[in-house]
Amino acid sequence: MTDHSMICAGIDVGKSHLDIALHPGGAALRVGNDERGLKALAAFLQKHDVRRVGFEASGGYEWRLMAHLRSGPRPAARLQPAQIRFFAKSKLQRAKNDRLDAALIAAFTASLDEMPHLPDARFDVLAAELTYLEQVEQQIALVRTFAETAFRDDVKQRHVDEIARLEDCRKAQLVCLEKLVRSDDELAQRLDLLLSIKGIGLRSAICLVIRLPELGHAGRAEIAALAGVAPYDDDSGKRHGRRHIQGGRERLRKSLFMCAFSAAQHNPDLAAFYKRLRSNGKQHVCAVIATARKLIIVANTVLARKTKWIPDPKNP
């Protein structure tokens, strides 16, 4: 049951500033999103005897705040924008600005029966380096499009040269990331266990280690939901709608789908599973999604048991 006497803070994170609001009470403060602002925030939270803090994920601008709160004396949670958006709808609140958002985050934080944990500090640097790798890969895809549509040969050659440069950068960053992961014994073990599963390559295994630390510690349904491949019913009364997936961690899901495409061809267990679905009339996309879900469950089991993957002898 929620303790209505407990003071909670909600923080709306911006590029240059933080908006803080308290619930109950309504006290508010705006500070800069910098070291000086964080000191003012700490004093404000101490003055009002705040017991818990919630803040919204904001595309990376929240990392400095998260590191500050992680080392603080009170529990803090990084909340997903969708959570706050649906909470606002439940309150029939349509107006939106930084101050109102902070108050909404504070009210939502107060309503939580249990605070979700902040990500392990070990993953701060790893996640930043992985994001950089993903951004380089996005640039490669974009420049390839430019090269394909270039009218002049000399312009096309410039794009080709840029692609080669970015590919070198991508390879070097992948090597750097692997070294960082393997510098931690536990993460190195998790990486090797994932690499034992046919269909999961180094790039995807690193993504799973960093983007899904819950792997091996959560149930089948939860891990599928976190990866964004859990099917949800869409039924009402006598109508039985088509089940669909939604939510989850977008960047993780992209890597998982790439694994699923590979596993559907090269992993004997998952290839047999994919073929069985197709022979039963499932569309290619649906079969790939189901394969991705089965793959993440296999990975979850492998890490939970801490034993390498062994193919089923029935699927040569």
Side-chain angles (χ1 to χ4, degrees), residues 52-314:
R52 54 164 63 168
V53 181
F55 62 96
E56 190 177 33
S58 183
Y61 293 123
E62 77 279 4
W63 285 104
R64 182 185 291 109
L65 171 66
M66 185 168 68
H68 173 78
L69 293 174
R70 188 191 282 124
S71 62
R74 55 189 61 81
R78 181 174 63 176
L79 307 170
Q80 296 305 311
Q83 292 177 291
I84 307 305
R85 184 168 61 251
F86 287 121
F87 185 70
K89 288 183 178 179
S90 74
K91 296 285 187 181
L92 301 180
Q93 179 174 318
R94 298 193 179 189
K96 178 177 173 58
N97 58 47
D98 295 342
R99 180 179 57 81
L100 291 176
D101 287 349
L104 195 67
I105 294 169
F108 179 75
T109 302
S111 73
L112 294 173
D113 292 327
E114 185 177 348
M115 291 280 283
H117 296 293
L118 289 176
D120 190 322
R122 292 180 300 172
F123 294 101
D124 286 358
V125 173
L126 291 171
E129 293 293 341
L130 178 56
T131 297
Y132 175 71
L133 174 62
E134 292 165 344
Q135 290 168 342
V136 170
E137 291 170 342
Q138 290 169 358
Q139 291 180 62
I140 291 172
L142 183 62
V143 178
R144 278 180 178 160
T145 301
F146 294 159
E148 290 171 357
T149 56
F151 177 71
R152 290 170 53 94
D153 289 341
D154 59 335
V155 173
K156 183 173 183 176
Q157 186 58 48
R158 289 179 219 162
H159 291 316
V160 170
D161 293 341
E162 179 64 8
I163 291 169
R165 185 190 70 80
L166 289 169
E167 284 286 1
D168 290 341
C169 180
R170 186 191 71 82
K171 292 174 184 177
Q173 181 64 12
L174 187 58
V175 170
C176 174
L177 255 176
E178 183 180 8
K179 288 181 180 178
L180 284 173
V181 171
R182 291 195 180 280
S183 66
D184 184 292
D185 291 341
E186 180 194 351
L187 298 183
Q189 181 189 34
R190 291 169 67 83
L191 181 64
D192 287 333
L193 288 171
L194 289 171
L195 288 171
S196 73
I197 304 172
K198 201 165 186 179
I200 298 182
L202 177 62
R203 167 66 175 80
S204 298
I206 288 174
C207 181
L208 289 172
V209 167
I210 297 172
R211 299 281 188 216
L212 195 58
E214 298 89 347
L215 205 58
H217 305 293
R220 295 160 55 102
E222 182 183 356
I223 213 68
L226 289 171
V229 291
Y232 294 101
D233 293 340
D234 186 19
D235 302 337
S236 180
K238 296 181 179 180
R239 183 183 71 84
H240 296 285
R242 184 177 180 180
R243 301 175 83 195
H244 57 277
I245 61 171
Q246 63 179 11
R249 298 170 186 173
E250 183 180 357
R251 289 177 173 175
L252 168 70
R253 186 170 61 249
K254 289 180 180 179
S255 289
L256 183 58
F257 278 140
M258 294 305 296
C259 291
F261 282 116
S262 175
Q265 300 178 52
H266 305 295
N267 184 302
D269 296 349
L270 294 175
F273 176 74
Y274 171 82
K275 290 176 182 177
R276 185 166 65 252
L277 291 177
R278 292 288 284 149
S279 64
N280 289 337
K282 288 287 185 182
Q283 295 180 349
H284 168 69
V285 173
C286 293
V288 170
I289 292 172
T291 302
R293 181 165 61 252
K294 191 171 183 66
L295 178 60
I296 200 64
I297 291 172
V298 168
N300 192 52
T301 302
V302 164
L303 290 189
R305 295 177 179 175
K306 296 184 179 180
T307 57
K308 291 187 177 182
W309 173 75
I310 301 174
D312 189 335
K314 297 177 182 178

